[in-house]
Amino acid sequence: MLHEYFPEVTKPIEYEGPQSDNPLAFKVYDPQKKVGAKTMAQHLRFAVAYWHTFRGTGSDMFGGGAFERPWQSASDPMERAGDTLRAAFEFFQKLGVDYYCFHDRDIAPEGSDFAESCRNLEEIVSQAKVLQEETGKKLLWGTANLFSHPMYTHGAGSNPDAHVFAHAMAQVKHALDATAELGGENYVFWGGREGYETLLNTDYRHEQEQLARFFHYAIDYKKEIGFEGQFLIEPKPAEPAKHQYDHDAATVLSFLREFDLLDHFKLNIEANHATLAGHTFHHDLTVAAAAGKLGSIDANQGDLQLGWDTDQFPTNLYDAIYAMLVVLEQGGIGSGGLNFDAKARRGSIRTIDLFHAHIGGMDTFAKGLVIAHKIKVDGKLDEFVKDRYSSYSSGFGEKIMHGKVSLEEMEKWIGEHGDPTPRSGRQELLENIVNSYIFPG
Ligand code: XUL
Ligand code: CO
């Protein structure tokens, strides 16, 4: 009999509905329930983040690990990695989540040299493959950790030392192999330390060109091995670097366009990264989607009082509604999903807390989906926006949009029609309309 890591959860978490007071049940998320043409599970494609949930220790900058995880107790690193993997698959099954995401160094330990690290990864990947086949669980995305090792202190692809660049590329090669081997549906690049601390030692243009080269090499290798997954870049403005190159969705899109990379990438938008950049989650999702490039979501939330990446589990219903409005508007999240890049708080030391955290995030997004779908079906908001721009859809406005009107003609038009009448943006009315879908009734 295999060791059980979550004995407190005696049966898989199930939907019991809003009246249930069972903390180990979903109140809204009902995987097979249809919302429009798809089930909730198909819309939401939830994923568990391996690093926080199974490798997180609760450490912060004022103190080391606070969690004692039974799967992390073996003294041999490979035995520990195997135990962690089994704990992870028990968790996925009990929680009823179909997907997970990992960094290479989350699932397999660093060896004494690069070759040993690669062997460790291959060994754990072969174990993961068996567990995926046994359980039907799938890999949403893999990635390489190119930020923890001290060699990456000054960046990976943007490192001033070509030796480090080559190491990072070799690591990406193996992480891509691992992701492909496990049927990963995407591969993520989060530029952990791709940025700078001071411009006094930095050739900004050179680092941008290096980074572009790094991505082009990755694309070439993707083709070479026939990996079909979607490449994603995850923007973040700062932390750990003072200034990160993938600042926000708009910056990444502009970088991709400049370096002829746009066709090969979509974006993985993380809520807490968007707010760190001084935007709302809704904003960065909208910017990505408007370019046809919203590929996946790291679902979490920050803390207004704390100015850093707190990676909390998402409980904010408005954020979830707005996110799902963007997703529904673009016809779904495609091969992406909602990855809970979130950690239970340092004080939440019990393994059961990991269940409560995910259940809360899943119910929040399920509710967001249901409400966003209602808003879409009713069409009031869409109609309002359409009407707001209707002056561009015919006559003089349509000609303007086609670039067919000279400035002289515009001046003449003003002469004939007088000054425009100001119109209300009706924000409060629209906010009340959103609330009307939330209020019970
Ligand atoms: C860091 C972060 C990463 C990426 C994957 O802030 O979000 O965990 O999601 O490297
Ligand atoms: Co993330």
Side-chain angles (χ1 to χ4, degrees):
M1 162 88 183
L2 281 178
H3 182 81
E4 201 180 5
Y5 292 99
F6 302 97
E8 285 170 288
V9 181
T10 51
K11 60 180 184 62
I13 309 296
E14 280 173 0
Y15 171 74
E16 290 185 8
Q19 310 312 329
S20 165
D21 61 1
N22 175 5
L24 290 176
F26 296 118
K27 311 297 181 297
V28 191
Y29 182 61
D30 185 359
Q32 298 316 320
K33 187 177 172 175
K34 282 265 182 83
V35 178
K38 292 194 274 186
T39 65
M40 283 192 173
Q42 288 167 337
H43 276 289
L44 296 163
R45 296 167 58 85
F46 289 126
V48 176
Y50 207 94
W51 51 102
H52 287 311
T53 298
F54 310 111
R55 300 299 312 280
T57 62
S59 66
D60 64 15
M61 52 285 235
F62 300 102
F67 303 156
E68 277 175 29
R69 302 302 197 205
W71 54 86
Q72 286 280 292
S73 61
S75 54
D76 175 64
M78 281 301 279
E79 194 184 327
R80 209 156 60 229
D83 289 347
T84 305
L85 196 69
R86 284 181 287 279
F89 277 80
E90 183 188 329
F91 186 82
F92 306 150
Q93 282 177 288
K94 287 186 169 173
L95 183 62
V97 158
D98 293 334
Y99 290 95
Y100 70 112
C101 303
F102 64 68
H103 301 82
D104 48 1
R105 301 296 179 251
D106 304 331
I107 58 168
E110 194 102 41
S112 56
D113 59 12
F114 184 64
E116 194 187 356
S117 301
C118 294
R119 282 196 301 277
N120 289 350
L121 181 60
E122 275 166 29
E123 166 56 30
I124 297 296
V125 164
S126 67
Q127 293 181 30
K129 197 168 180 181
V130 173
L131 285 165
Q132 283 188 194
E133 277 158 13
E134 280 173 14
T135 61
K137 302 300 170 192
K138 292 171 277 189
L139 181 63
L140 185 67
W141 50 263
T143 185
N145 178 332
L146 302 177
F147 44 89
S148 292
H149 195 285
M151 82 170 82
Y152 295 129
T153 300
H154 301 290
S158 64
N159 198 289
D161 183 353
H163 196 147
V164 180
F165 184 103
H167 192 284
M169 254 1 309
Q171 203 180 314
V172 166
K173 173 179 178 290
H174 285 268
L176 268 169
D177 287 342
T179 304
E181 176 68 13
L182 293 171
E185 297 184 26
N186 307 269
Y187 182 91
V188 164
F189 294 87
W190 168 58
R193 295 183 194 271
E194 311 291 17
Y196 64 80
E197 287 296 319
T198 169
L199 287 170
L200 294 175
N201 65 13
T202 302
D203 183 339
Y204 178 84
R205 181 69 205 173
H206 197 273
E207 293 204 2
Q208 291 278 294
E209 285 172 4
Q210 282 176 233
L211 213 45
R213 182 57 65 207
F214 172 86
F215 289 127
H216 277 292
Y217 276 123
I219 292 164
D220 291 346
Y221 188 68
K222 177 186 192 229
K223 286 185 190 146
E224 192 183 319
I225 62 171
F227 175 56
E228 304 265 313
Q230 173 68 50
F231 270 3
L232 299 166
I233 293 187
E234 182 177 321
K236 186 176 182 182
E239 199 200 312
K242 170 185 160 65
H243 182 106
Q244 291 189 207
Y245 293 136
D246 299 333
H247 192 89
D248 58 2
T251 312
V252 173
L253 289 169
S254 146
F255 171 85
L256 293 173
R257 276 191 201 100
E258 179 174 0
F259 292 101
D260 200 19
L261 289 158
L262 196 62
D263 290 347
H264 304 280
F265 286 89
K266 287 189 176 178
L267 305 189
N268 181 37
I269 299 297
E270 176 164 329
N272 205 169
H273 295 181
T275 52
L276 276 179
H279 304 306
T280 58
F281 183 29
H282 194 188
H283 170 92
D284 247 28
L285 291 167
T286 301
V287 171
K293 291 291 174 186
L294 175 58
S296 201
I297 292 175
D298 270 9
N300 64 8
Q301 70 188 34
D303 184 307
L304 283 180
Q305 273 76 47
L306 304 172
W308 65 85
D309 196 15
T310 57
D311 280 342
Q312 286 162 239
F313 274 84
T315 55
N316 184 316
L317 183 57
Y318 286 103
D319 276 347
I321 294 170
Y322 296 147
M324 293 317 296
L325 276 173
V326 178
V327 169
L328 291 180
E329 176 65 28
Q330 72 162 23
I333 198 67
S335 70
L338 297 184
N339 168 46
F340 291 113
D341 189 355
K343 54 188 173 196
R345 299 300 87 193
R346 179 174 165 84
S348 303
I349 58 174
R350 292 174 55 184
T351 53
I352 197 89
D353 293 321
L354 296 171
F355 278 90
H356 298 311
H358 283 86
I359 289 169
M362 291 162 79
D363 269 344
T364 301
F365 268 90
K367 189 75 185 172
L369 167 66
V370 169
I371 291 173
H373 180 257
K374 263 196 201 145
I375 292 175
K376 279 285 175 209
V377 170
D378 287 0
K380 273 189 221 141
L381 289 188
D382 282 343
E383 226 168 85
F384 181 90
V385 174
K386 197 168 162 228
D387 183 59
R388 195 162 181 240
Y389 295 87
S390 58
S391 61
Y392 288 97
S393 46
S394 62
F396 199 64
E398 192 182 9
K399 276 169 82 183
I400 288 180
M401 278 312 282
H402 287 97
K404 298 265 165 54
V405 193
S406 70
L407 298 198
E408 287 78 8
E409 285 172 300
M410 294 205 209
E411 185 181 0
K412 195 166 156 254
W413 170 271
I414 298 301
E416 286 165 3
H417 294 83
D419 285 350
T421 315
R423 294 183 188 184
S424 172
R426 313 206 73 186
Q427 181 172 335
E428 296 76 11
L429 168 76
L430 299 172
E431 286 166 348
N432 291 352
I433 290 178
V434 171
N435 275 353
S436 74
Y437 296 96
I438 301 174
F439 295 161

